Amino acid sequence: MPLPDLGPKPHLGYTPSPLDRAADRRNDAAAVAALAADARAGVYVIGGELIVAKKAGGGNDPMFTPAEAKALGAARETVFLGLAGDAGRFGCGIDQAAAESLKARADLLVIDLRSIAVQGLVAPEHLPPLAEAKAMLMWHARHRFCANCGKATEIVEAGWRRDCPVCKATHFPRTDPVVIMLAIDGDRCLLGRSARFVASMWSCLAGFVEPGESFEEAVRRETREEAGVTCGRVVYFRSQPWPFPMSLMIGCHAQALTTELKVDRTELEDARWFTREECALMLLRRHPDGLGTPPPVAIAHHIIRAWVEEGDGVLR
Ligand SMILES: [Zn+2]
């Protein structure tokens, strides 16, 4: 039986960024200040997990002028995100409590980034700079003190480094690599579900890359630990920034060498094999039991779809 047509390829969330990061400007304080003072500057305002947007013309605009941003709350940190043309883009971190209090305002939308992305609440070109800003501001919020000596650190490089004035250690923003993989056994693939997932959603297995490990090794280890399945060949697919709080998802397909499942119930609620036809129906939200995959904003959707469309071709 032929597989159903999945339609046009959907867009992956949070990438690619329309901004030029202009890293060469970061150590030029005067240039960054001039960009911030320019009337064309745009500021994304974030308080912890909450993104602030203004309601405008039936939609939502998450970009404020510097004056508007200042009026929303005192900035804990400001990060130079890059340039859109020659206009500066900035991320401004306010306290989560200040963002919470803005929820009372009828002219603002104050909501978490996942909801914005999944529900398409802002124009898609804002998602990559929002992801950059959110990850950077979360890093600042968690690294105000030196990991080496415990003293308060200072922001330098337009938000891209924190220096310790006491022990002179320099601290750079971090990105945590996570492998997210689809193990394949011929016409079947391995999906799992976590107790955190919405009911009926199944997805790729995933886990953090550990120190001293390649991502291929991490794919094999996580698949064996979580589902008891041994994998051989691992093929990189594509990656996605995932600012929850500051991860990089490394999407892979893997050749399953064993098929018997031994599910780690502390990590997963369940895991099982799915056919290509079932996965096609899940991507289309037409599965007879109402099962589904993650939405197109997430890389898991694309990893599963690539296998449904290409079969074993993804392992070449
Ligand atoms: Zn220090």
Side-chain angles (χ1 to χ4, degrees), residues 193-218:
R193 51 169 286 110
S194 143
R196 300 189 312 272
F197 289 0
V198 293
S200 78
M201 191 176 89
W202 292 74
S203 186
C204 299
L205 305 189
F208 285 104
V209 180
E210 294 187 345
E213 195 173 46
S214 69
F215 70 71
E216 291 91 342
E217 289 173 302

Side-chain angles (χ1 to χ4, degrees), residues 146 149 164 167:
C146 180
C149 78
C164 177
C167 78

Side-chain angles (χ1 to χ4, degrees), residues 146 148-151 164 166-169 171:
C146 180
N148 188 46
C149 78
K151 295 294 188 298
C164 177
V166 178
C167 78
K168 308 298 178 197
H171 302 280

Side-chain angles (χ1 to χ4, degrees), residues 155-223:
I155 296 184
V156 294
E157 298 269 342
W160 288 86
R161 206 176 81 204
R162 295 186 76 105
D163 286 357
C164 177
V166 178
C167 78
K168 308 298 178 197
T170 54
H171 302 280
F172 291 91
R174 54 183 287 177
T175 296
D176 299 326
V178 172
V179 285
I180 176 162
M181 55 278 181
L182 189 68
I184 297 160
D185 168 46
D187 195 42
R188 301 186 305 168
C189 75
L190 178 62
L191 299 179
R193 51 169 286 110
S194 143
R196 300 189 312 272
F197 289 0
V198 293
S200 78
M201 191 176 89
W202 292 74
S203 186
C204 299
L205 305 189
F208 285 104
V209 180
E210 294 187 345
E213 195 173 46
S214 69
F215 70 71
E216 291 91 342
E217 289 173 302
V219 164
R220 296 188 192 103
R221 177 182 52 76
E222 285 285 346
T223 308

